[in-house]
Amino acid sequence: MKKLTLLLFLLLCIGMSLQAADYKDIPVNQFVQALRSAGTGETWGRLTGSVIHRRRGSRPVAAPISFRSLFTAKAVVGQLVFRNKEVYQLTQSRLAPYSSSVETSGKSTLSDVGILPSDLVMNFIYWDFKAEEKSEKIRMQDCRVLVFESQKTKDRVKVYASATYIFPIRVEWIDKKTGKPFRTLDVNGLKKVNDLWVVSELSVSGPGWRSIVQFKKLEAGQNKNGVPSDLFIE
């Protein structure tokens, strides 16, 4: 048995004990359910770093970014702080009907670097499941390829989920007309903090642009051992 607890940029903490062979061939509906509900551990995380955005024909833009999360069996509560002044409050239910919300006040410039606040709570894996495509190997991981569609916007994503550890390694947003990806999110780096695997680097890219998020200060722990009183900014 292998244990992988992943604080995704997704930046969720997902605790699980898995055998690789258990999830490669199980019915896809069971795999989707496992992806949505994998692990019920109660954890917290605080990641601090920077994002570097490069766009063809323009100079690179760098800005500070941090993400804080409180993960329970029922929901994820997150807070994204961008440029030390833009604060986004995020919630994602882990129980059906999987409601989610994003709240902010004032001017938002997060989209200037290609990041969507909703990415951080992986709301796309709670969209309607549509189909499974042929499995692929991403970064030496056998991945099941799942297609989800938003009920509200009809946006579609293709999720490449590790068949061993049941977490997304790559996510592609699919153009409705061409069927080709126009935006891609990749998890590039992981580090271990207090027995939790934490995302240290990820990238988001599209035609002519790319953003790399690097978290230099990584904090995470089990709620039962105490949650920092200053986890979230008031």
Side-chain angles (χ1 to χ4, degrees), residues 79-133:
Q79 186 181 71
L80 170 68
V81 182
F82 183 57
R83 300 188 192 275
N84 294 323
K85 59 183 180 181
E86 296 179 21
V87 181
Y88 302 82
Q89 309 289 353
L90 315 165
T91 60
Q92 174 64 59
S93 170
R94 300 185 68 208
L95 303 175
Y98 305 118
S99 61
S100 63
S101 67
V102 178
E103 298 179 3
T104 189
S105 59
K107 183 180 179 181
S108 173
T109 65
L110 192 61
S111 61
D112 293 348
V113 296
I115 295 176
L116 302 175
S118 56
D119 293 346
L120 305 181
V121 288
M122 278 203 311
N123 72 333
F124 42 78
I125 68 171
Y126 300 100
W127 292 353
D128 290 343
F129 169 67
K130 290 298 183 179
E132 180 175 21
E133 299 187 356

Short mmCIF file of all heavy atoms in Angstrom, two decimals, residues 79-133:
data_model
loop_
_atom_site.label_atom_id
_atom_site.label_comp_id
_atom_site.label_asym_id
_atom_site.label_seq_id
_atom_site.Cartn_x
_atom_site.Cartn_y
_atom_site.Cartn_z
N GLN A 79 -8.50 30.42 0.21
CA GLN A 79 -8.31 31.85 0.06
C GLN A 79 -7.06 32.10 -0.77
O GLN A 79 -5.98 31.66 -0.43
CB GLN A 79 -8.16 32.53 1.42
CG GLN A 79 -8.10 34.04 1.36
CD GLN A 79 -7.93 34.64 2.75
OE1 GLN A 79 -6.86 34.53 3.35
NE2 GLN A 79 -8.97 35.27 3.27
N LEU A 80 -7.25 32.76 -1.90
CA LEU A 80 -6.15 33.12 -2.78
C LEU A 80 -5.84 34.61 -2.61
O LEU A 80 -6.75 35.44 -2.64
CB LEU A 80 -6.53 32.85 -4.23
CG LEU A 80 -5.59 33.37 -5.32
CD1 LEU A 80 -4.27 32.63 -5.28
CD2 LEU A 80 -6.22 33.25 -6.69
N VAL A 81 -4.57 34.92 -2.41
CA VAL A 81 -4.14 36.31 -2.29
C VAL A 81 -3.16 36.59 -3.42
O VAL A 81 -2.12 35.93 -3.52
CB VAL A 81 -3.49 36.60 -0.93
CG1 VAL A 81 -3.09 38.08 -0.83
CG2 VAL A 81 -4.43 36.23 0.21
N PHE A 82 -3.48 37.56 -4.27
CA PHE A 82 -2.67 37.89 -5.45
C PHE A 82 -2.21 39.33 -5.36
O PHE A 82 -3.00 40.22 -5.04
CB PHE A 82 -3.51 37.66 -6.71
CG PHE A 82 -2.77 37.88 -7.99
CD1 PHE A 82 -1.62 37.17 -8.30
CD2 PHE A 82 -3.24 38.79 -8.93
CE1 PHE A 82 -0.95 37.38 -9.49
CE2 PHE A 82 -2.59 39.00 -10.12
CZ PHE A 82 -1.43 38.29 -10.40
N ARG A 83 -0.94 39.55 -5.65
CA ARG A 83 -0.31 40.87 -5.59
C ARG A 83 -0.43 41.50 -4.20
O ARG A 83 -0.41 42.73 -4.04
CB ARG A 83 -0.92 41.81 -6.63
CG ARG A 83 -0.78 41.36 -8.08
CD ARG A 83 -1.24 42.46 -9.03
NE ARG A 83 -1.39 42.01 -10.40
CZ ARG A 83 -0.40 41.95 -11.30
NH1 ARG A 83 0.82 42.30 -10.95
NH2 ARG A 83 -0.64 41.53 -12.53
N ASN A 84 -0.60 40.67 -3.18
CA ASN A 84 -0.68 41.12 -1.79
C ASN A 84 -1.89 42.01 -1.50
O ASN A 84 -1.96 42.63 -0.43
CB ASN A 84 0.60 41.87 -1.37
CG ASN A 84 1.81 40.97 -1.36
OD1 ASN A 84 1.73 39.80 -0.98
ND2 ASN A 84 2.95 41.51 -1.78
N LYS A 85 -2.84 42.07 -2.42
CA LYS A 85 -3.99 42.95 -2.20
C LYS A 85 -5.30 42.40 -2.74
O LYS A 85 -6.37 42.77 -2.25
CB LYS A 85 -3.73 44.33 -2.82
CG LYS A 85 -3.46 44.31 -4.31
CD LYS A 85 -3.14 45.72 -4.83
CE LYS A 85 -2.87 45.72 -6.32
NZ LYS A 85 -2.54 47.08 -6.84
N GLU A 86 -5.24 41.54 -3.73
CA GLU A 86 -6.46 40.95 -4.26
C GLU A 86 -6.75 39.64 -3.50
O GLU A 86 -5.93 38.73 -3.51
CB GLU A 86 -6.32 40.66 -5.75
CG GLU A 86 -6.14 41.90 -6.61
CD GLU A 86 -5.98 41.57 -8.08
OE1 GLU A 86 -6.40 40.47 -8.49
OE2 GLU A 86 -5.43 42.41 -8.82
N VAL A 87 -7.90 39.58 -2.86
CA VAL A 87 -8.25 38.42 -2.04
C VAL A 87 -9.48 37.73 -2.63
O VAL A 87 -10.52 38.38 -2.86
CB VAL A 87 -8.52 38.84 -0.59
CG1 VAL A 87 -8.88 37.61 0.26
CG2 VAL A 87 -7.31 39.55 0.00
N TYR A 88 -9.36 36.43 -2.87
CA TYR A 88 -10.45 35.64 -3.44
C TYR A 88 -10.84 34.56 -2.42
O TYR A 88 -9.98 33.80 -1.96
CB TYR A 88 -10.02 34.97 -4.74
CG TYR A 88 -9.56 35.95 -5.80
CD1 TYR A 88 -8.25 36.46 -5.78
CD2 TYR A 88 -10.41 36.36 -6.82
CE1 TYR A 88 -7.83 37.37 -6.75
CE2 TYR A 88 -10.00 37.26 -7.79
CZ TYR A 88 -8.70 37.76 -7.75
OH TYR A 88 -8.28 38.65 -8.71
N GLN A 89 -12.13 34.52 -2.07
CA GLN A 89 -12.64 33.52 -1.14
C GLN A 89 -13.29 32.39 -1.94
O GLN A 89 -14.15 32.65 -2.79
CB GLN A 89 -13.68 34.15 -0.20
CG GLN A 89 -13.23 35.42 0.50
CD GLN A 89 -12.17 35.18 1.56
OE1 GLN A 89 -11.83 34.03 1.89
NE2 GLN A 89 -11.63 36.26 2.12
N LEU A 90 -12.87 31.16 -1.69
CA LEU A 90 -13.30 30.02 -2.49
C LEU A 90 -13.90 28.94 -1.60
O LEU A 90 -13.39 28.66 -0.52
CB LEU A 90 -12.10 29.42 -3.24
CG LEU A 90 -11.15 30.41 -3.92
CD1 LEU A 90 -9.85 29.71 -4.30
CD2 LEU A 90 -11.82 31.00 -5.14
N THR A 91 -14.97 28.34 -2.08
CA THR A 91 -15.54 27.18 -1.40
C THR A 91 -15.93 26.13 -2.43
O THR A 91 -16.34 26.46 -3.54
CB THR A 91 -16.79 27.54 -0.57
OG1 THR A 91 -17.79 28.09 -1.42
CG2 THR A 91 -16.44 28.54 0.53
N GLN A 92 -15.76 24.87 -2.05
CA GLN A 92 -16.16 23.77 -2.92
C GLN A 92 -16.68 22.64 -2.04
O GLN A 92 -15.95 22.11 -1.20
CB GLN A 92 -14.99 23.27 -3.75
CG GLN A 92 -15.29 22.01 -4.58
CD GLN A 92 -16.35 22.26 -5.63
OE1 GLN A 92 -16.18 23.11 -6.50
NE2 GLN A 92 -17.45 21.52 -5.57
N SER A 93 -17.95 22.30 -2.23
CA SER A 93 -18.52 21.17 -1.51
C SER A 93 -17.96 19.88 -2.06
O SER A 93 -17.81 19.72 -3.27
CB SER A 93 -20.04 21.18 -1.64
OG SER A 93 -20.59 19.98 -1.13
N ARG A 94 -17.68 18.93 -1.18
CA ARG A 94 -17.22 17.61 -1.61
C ARG A 94 -18.36 16.60 -1.60
O ARG A 94 -18.14 15.41 -1.84
CB ARG A 94 -16.08 17.14 -0.71
CG ARG A 94 -14.87 18.06 -0.73
CD ARG A 94 -13.73 17.48 0.07
NE ARG A 94 -13.21 16.31 -0.58
CZ ARG A 94 -12.62 15.30 0.07
NH1 ARG A 94 -12.53 15.32 1.37
NH2 ARG A 94 -12.16 14.26 -0.59
N LEU A 95 -19.56 17.08 -1.31
CA LEU A 95 -20.74 16.22 -1.29
C LEU A 95 -21.73 16.72 -2.34
O LEU A 95 -21.85 17.92 -2.57
CB LEU A 95 -21.39 16.25 0.10
CG LEU A 95 -20.49 15.83 1.28
CD1 LEU A 95 -21.24 16.02 2.59
CD2 LEU A 95 -20.01 14.40 1.12
N ALA A 96 -22.43 15.79 -2.97
CA ALA A 96 -23.44 16.17 -3.97
C ALA A 96 -24.46 17.11 -3.32
O ALA A 96 -24.81 16.92 -2.16
CB ALA A 96 -24.13 14.91 -4.50
N PRO A 97 -24.88 18.16 -4.05
CA PRO A 97 -24.71 18.42 -5.48
C PRO A 97 -23.46 19.22 -5.84
O PRO A 97 -23.43 19.90 -6.87
CB PRO A 97 -25.97 19.20 -5.82
CG PRO A 97 -26.26 19.99 -4.57
CD PRO A 97 -25.85 19.10 -3.43
N TYR A 98 -22.42 19.20 -5.02
CA TYR A 98 -21.11 19.77 -5.35
C TYR A 98 -21.17 21.26 -5.68
O TYR A 98 -20.68 21.72 -6.70
CB TYR A 98 -20.48 19.03 -6.53
CG TYR A 98 -20.36 17.54 -6.33
CD1 TYR A 98 -21.03 16.64 -7.17
CD2 TYR A 98 -19.58 17.02 -5.30
CE1 TYR A 98 -20.91 15.27 -6.99
CE2 TYR A 98 -19.47 15.64 -5.11
CZ TYR A 98 -20.13 14.78 -5.96
OH TYR A 98 -20.02 13.44 -5.78
N SER A 99 -21.76 22.04 -4.81
CA SER A 99 -21.83 23.49 -5.03
C SER A 99 -20.48 24.14 -4.81
O SER A 99 -19.64 23.64 -4.05
CB SER A 99 -22.87 24.11 -4.09
OG SER A 99 -22.49 23.90 -2.74
N SER A 100 -20.24 25.27 -5.50
CA SER A 100 -18.98 26.00 -5.36
C SER A 100 -19.24 27.49 -5.49
O SER A 100 -20.26 27.90 -6.04
CB SER A 100 -17.97 25.55 -6.42
OG SER A 100 -18.44 25.85 -7.72
N SER A 101 -18.31 28.28 -4.99
CA SER A 101 -18.46 29.73 -5.09
C SER A 101 -17.09 30.39 -5.07
O SER A 101 -16.13 29.86 -4.51
CB SER A 101 -19.31 30.28 -3.94
OG SER A 101 -18.65 30.14 -2.70
N VAL A 102 -17.01 31.56 -5.71
CA VAL A 102 -15.81 32.41 -5.70
C VAL A 102 -16.28 33.83 -5.42
O VAL A 102 -17.16 34.34 -6.11
CB VAL A 102 -15.07 32.36 -7.05
CG1 VAL A 102 -13.86 33.30 -7.02
CG2 VAL A 102 -14.63 30.94 -7.38
N GLU A 103 -15.69 34.46 -4.42
CA GLU A 103 -16.07 35.82 -4.07
C GLU A 103 -14.83 36.70 -3.98
O GLU A 103 -13.79 36.26 -3.48
CB GLU A 103 -16.81 35.86 -2.73
CG GLU A 103 -18.12 35.10 -2.73
CD GLU A 103 -18.82 35.14 -1.38
OE1 GLU A 103 -18.29 35.82 -0.46
OE2 GLU A 103 -19.86 34.50 -1.22
N THR A 104 -14.93 37.92 -4.47
CA THR A 104 -13.85 38.89 -4.35
C THR A 104 -14.46 40.28 -4.39
O THR A 104 -15.62 40.45 -4.77
CB THR A 104 -12.80 38.73 -5.47
OG1 THR A 104 -11.68 39.56 -5.18
CG2 THR A 104 -13.39 39.10 -6.82
N SER A 105 -13.69 41.27 -3.98
CA SER A 105 -14.16 42.65 -4.03
C SER A 105 -13.07 43.50 -4.67
O SER A 105 -11.88 43.19 -4.57
CB SER A 105 -14.50 43.17 -2.63
OG SER A 105 -13.36 43.12 -1.79
N GLY A 106 -13.48 44.55 -5.33
CA GLY A 106 -12.50 45.41 -5.99
C GLY A 106 -12.07 44.87 -7.33
O GLY A 106 -12.59 43.87 -7.84
N LYS A 107 -11.09 45.49 -7.92
CA LYS A 107 -10.59 45.13 -9.24
C LYS A 107 -9.84 43.81 -9.19
O LYS A 107 -9.05 43.56 -8.29
CB LYS A 107 -9.67 46.23 -9.77
CG LYS A 107 -9.15 45.98 -11.18
CD LYS A 107 -8.26 47.10 -11.66
CE LYS A 107 -7.73 46.83 -13.07
NZ LYS A 107 -6.84 47.92 -13.54
N SER A 108 -10.07 42.97 -10.19
CA SER A 108 -9.39 41.69 -10.29
C SER A 108 -8.45 41.69 -11.49
O SER A 108 -8.87 42.03 -12.61
CB SER A 108 -10.40 40.55 -10.44
OG SER A 108 -9.75 39.32 -10.70
N THR A 109 -7.19 41.32 -11.27
CA THR A 109 -6.21 41.24 -12.37
C THR A 109 -5.64 39.84 -12.51
O THR A 109 -4.68 39.63 -13.25
CB THR A 109 -5.06 42.24 -12.14
OG1 THR A 109 -4.33 41.87 -10.95
CG2 THR A 109 -5.58 43.67 -12.00
N LEU A 110 -6.23 38.87 -11.82
CA LEU A 110 -5.72 37.51 -11.85
C LEU A 110 -5.74 36.93 -13.26
O LEU A 110 -4.83 36.19 -13.66
CB LEU A 110 -6.52 36.63 -10.89
CG LEU A 110 -5.96 35.25 -10.57
CD1 LEU A 110 -4.59 35.35 -9.90
CD2 LEU A 110 -6.93 34.49 -9.66
N SER A 111 -6.78 37.28 -14.02
CA SER A 111 -6.87 36.76 -15.38
C SER A 111 -5.74 37.27 -16.27
O SER A 111 -5.47 36.69 -17.33
CB SER A 111 -8.22 37.12 -16.00
OG SER A 111 -8.38 38.52 -16.07
N ASP A 112 -5.08 38.36 -15.88
CA ASP A 112 -3.96 38.89 -16.66
C ASP A 112 -2.81 37.89 -16.75
O ASP A 112 -2.01 37.96 -17.69
CB ASP A 112 -3.45 40.20 -16.05
CG ASP A 112 -4.46 41.34 -16.16
OD1 ASP A 112 -5.45 41.18 -16.89
OD2 ASP A 112 -4.25 42.38 -15.51
N VAL A 113 -2.72 37.00 -15.76
CA VAL A 113 -1.66 35.98 -15.79
C VAL A 113 -2.23 34.60 -16.08
O VAL A 113 -1.57 33.58 -15.89
CB VAL A 113 -0.87 35.97 -14.46
CG1 VAL A 113 -0.13 37.28 -14.26
CG2 VAL A 113 -1.77 35.67 -13.26
N GLY A 114 -3.48 34.56 -16.56
CA GLY A 114 -4.05 33.30 -17.05
C GLY A 114 -4.58 32.35 -16.00
O GLY A 114 -4.86 31.19 -16.30
N ILE A 115 -4.74 32.82 -14.76
CA ILE A 115 -5.20 31.94 -13.68
C ILE A 115 -6.67 32.23 -13.36
O ILE A 115 -7.08 33.39 -13.29
CB ILE A 115 -4.33 32.13 -12.43
CG1 ILE A 115 -2.90 31.66 -12.72
CG2 ILE A 115 -4.90 31.34 -11.25
CD1 ILE A 115 -1.93 31.89 -11.59
N LEU A 116 -7.44 31.18 -13.15
CA LEU A 116 -8.82 31.30 -12.73
C LEU A 116 -8.91 30.89 -11.26
O LEU A 116 -8.40 29.84 -10.88
CB LEU A 116 -9.72 30.38 -13.56
CG LEU A 116 -9.72 30.57 -15.08
CD1 LEU A 116 -10.58 29.49 -15.73
CD2 LEU A 116 -10.22 31.95 -15.44
N PRO A 117 -9.56 31.70 -10.41
CA PRO A 117 -9.67 31.32 -8.99
C PRO A 117 -10.28 29.94 -8.80
O PRO A 117 -9.85 29.18 -7.92
CB PRO A 117 -10.58 32.42 -8.41
CG PRO A 117 -10.41 33.57 -9.31
CD PRO A 117 -10.20 32.99 -10.68
N SER A 118 -11.25 29.58 -9.62
CA SER A 118 -11.93 28.30 -9.46
C SER A 118 -11.01 27.11 -9.72
O SER A 118 -11.29 25.99 -9.28
CB SER A 118 -13.15 28.22 -10.39
OG SER A 118 -12.77 28.46 -11.74
N ASP A 119 -9.88 27.33 -10.43
CA ASP A 119 -8.92 26.26 -10.64
C ASP A 119 -8.44 25.68 -9.32
O ASP A 119 -8.16 24.49 -9.19
CB ASP A 119 -7.68 26.77 -11.38
CG ASP A 119 -7.96 27.20 -12.81
OD1 ASP A 119 -9.04 26.87 -13.32
OD2 ASP A 119 -7.09 27.87 -13.39
N LEU A 120 -8.32 26.56 -8.33
CA LEU A 120 -7.64 26.19 -7.10
C LEU A 120 -8.43 25.22 -6.24
O LEU A 120 -7.87 24.58 -5.36
CB LEU A 120 -7.31 27.46 -6.30
CG LEU A 120 -6.49 28.49 -7.07
CD1 LEU A 120 -6.18 29.69 -6.20
CD2 LEU A 120 -5.22 27.89 -7.62
N VAL A 121 -9.72 25.13 -6.46
CA VAL A 121 -10.51 24.14 -5.75
C VAL A 121 -10.97 23.02 -6.69
O VAL A 121 -11.86 22.25 -6.37
CB VAL A 121 -11.72 24.78 -5.03
CG1 VAL A 121 -11.26 25.58 -3.85
CG2 VAL A 121 -12.54 25.64 -5.97
N MET A 122 -10.34 22.93 -7.84
CA MET A 122 -10.58 21.85 -8.80
C MET A 122 -12.05 21.66 -9.08
O MET A 122 -12.54 20.54 -9.16
CB MET A 122 -9.99 20.53 -8.28
CG MET A 122 -8.53 20.37 -8.52
SD MET A 122 -8.02 18.63 -8.52
CE MET A 122 -8.76 18.02 -7.02
N ASN A 123 -12.78 22.74 -9.25
CA ASN A 123 -14.22 22.60 -9.41
C ASN A 123 -14.59 21.79 -10.65
O ASN A 123 -15.67 21.21 -10.72
CB ASN A 123 -14.91 23.96 -9.43
CG ASN A 123 -14.65 24.75 -10.70
OD1 ASN A 123 -13.62 24.57 -11.36
ND2 ASN A 123 -15.56 25.63 -11.05
N PHE A 124 -13.69 21.72 -11.63
CA PHE A 124 -14.00 21.02 -12.88
C PHE A 124 -14.23 19.53 -12.69
O PHE A 124 -14.92 18.91 -13.49
CB PHE A 124 -12.91 21.28 -13.93
CG PHE A 124 -11.51 21.21 -13.39
CD1 PHE A 124 -10.89 20.02 -13.13
CD2 PHE A 124 -10.82 22.39 -13.13
CE1 PHE A 124 -9.60 19.97 -12.63
CE2 PHE A 124 -9.53 22.36 -12.63
CZ PHE A 124 -8.92 21.14 -12.38
N ILE A 125 -13.64 18.90 -11.66
CA ILE A 125 -13.88 17.46 -11.48
C ILE A 125 -15.27 17.18 -10.91
O ILE A 125 -15.69 16.03 -10.83
CB ILE A 125 -12.79 16.78 -10.62
CG1 ILE A 125 -12.87 17.26 -9.16
CG2 ILE A 125 -11.42 16.97 -11.21
CD1 ILE A 125 -11.97 16.47 -8.23
N TYR A 126 -15.96 18.26 -10.51
CA TYR A 126 -17.33 18.12 -10.01
C TYR A 126 -18.37 18.48 -11.07
O TYR A 126 -19.56 18.46 -10.81
CB TYR A 126 -17.52 19.00 -8.77
CG TYR A 126 -16.58 18.63 -7.64
CD1 TYR A 126 -15.43 19.37 -7.40
CD2 TYR A 126 -16.83 17.53 -6.82
CE1 TYR A 126 -14.56 19.04 -6.38
CE2 TYR A 126 -15.97 17.19 -5.80
CZ TYR A 126 -14.83 17.94 -5.58
OH TYR A 126 -13.96 17.60 -4.57
N TRP A 127 -17.91 18.83 -12.28
CA TRP A 127 -18.83 19.06 -13.38
C TRP A 127 -19.42 17.72 -13.82
O TRP A 127 -19.01 16.65 -13.34
CB TRP A 127 -18.10 19.70 -14.56
CG TRP A 127 -17.63 21.11 -14.31
CD1 TRP A 127 -17.90 21.89 -13.23
CD2 TRP A 127 -16.81 21.89 -15.18
NE1 TRP A 127 -17.29 23.12 -13.36
CE2 TRP A 127 -16.62 23.15 -14.55
CE3 TRP A 127 -16.21 21.67 -16.41
CZ2 TRP A 127 -15.86 24.17 -15.12
CZ3 TRP A 127 -15.45 22.68 -17.00
CH2 TRP A 127 -15.28 23.92 -16.35
N ASP A 128 -20.36 17.77 -14.75
CA ASP A 128 -20.97 16.54 -15.26
C ASP A 128 -19.93 15.70 -16.00
O ASP A 128 -19.26 16.19 -16.92
CB ASP A 128 -22.13 16.87 -16.20
CG ASP A 128 -23.32 17.47 -15.48
OD1 ASP A 128 -23.40 17.34 -14.25
OD2 ASP A 128 -24.17 18.08 -16.16
N PHE A 129 -19.83 14.43 -15.62
CA PHE A 129 -18.92 13.54 -16.33
C PHE A 129 -19.56 13.13 -17.65
O PHE A 129 -20.71 12.73 -17.70
CB PHE A 129 -18.62 12.30 -15.49
CG PHE A 129 -17.91 11.22 -16.25
CD1 PHE A 129 -16.61 11.41 -16.69
CD2 PHE A 129 -18.55 10.04 -16.56
CE1 PHE A 129 -15.96 10.43 -17.42
CE2 PHE A 129 -17.91 9.04 -17.28
CZ PHE A 129 -16.61 9.24 -17.71
N LYS A 130 -18.79 13.24 -18.75
CA LYS A 130 -19.32 12.97 -20.08
C LYS A 130 -18.76 11.72 -20.74
O LYS A 130 -19.49 10.98 -21.40
CB LYS A 130 -19.06 14.18 -20.99
CG LYS A 130 -19.89 15.40 -20.64
CD LYS A 130 -21.38 15.11 -20.81
CE LYS A 130 -22.25 16.31 -20.54
NZ LYS A 130 -23.68 16.03 -20.72
N ALA A 131 -17.47 11.48 -20.62
CA ALA A 131 -16.88 10.35 -21.35
C ALA A 131 -15.49 10.05 -20.82
O ALA A 131 -14.84 10.89 -20.18
CB ALA A 131 -16.81 10.67 -22.84
N GLU A 132 -15.05 8.83 -21.10
CA GLU A 132 -13.65 8.46 -20.85
C GLU A 132 -13.00 8.19 -22.20
O GLU A 132 -13.57 7.48 -23.05
CB GLU A 132 -13.54 7.23 -19.97
CG GLU A 132 -12.08 6.84 -19.71
CD GLU A 132 -11.91 5.70 -18.74
OE1 GLU A 132 -12.89 4.94 -18.54
OE2 GLU A 132 -10.81 5.56 -18.17
N GLU A 133 -11.81 8.75 -22.40
CA GLU A 133 -11.05 8.51 -23.62
C GLU A 133 -9.90 7.54 -23.35
O GLU A 133 -9.70 7.12 -22.22
CB GLU A 133 -10.54 9.85 -24.17
CG GLU A 133 -11.67 10.81 -24.53
CD GLU A 133 -11.18 12.06 -25.23
OE1 GLU A 133 -9.95 12.24 -25.37
OE2 GLU A 133 -12.04 12.87 -25.64
#
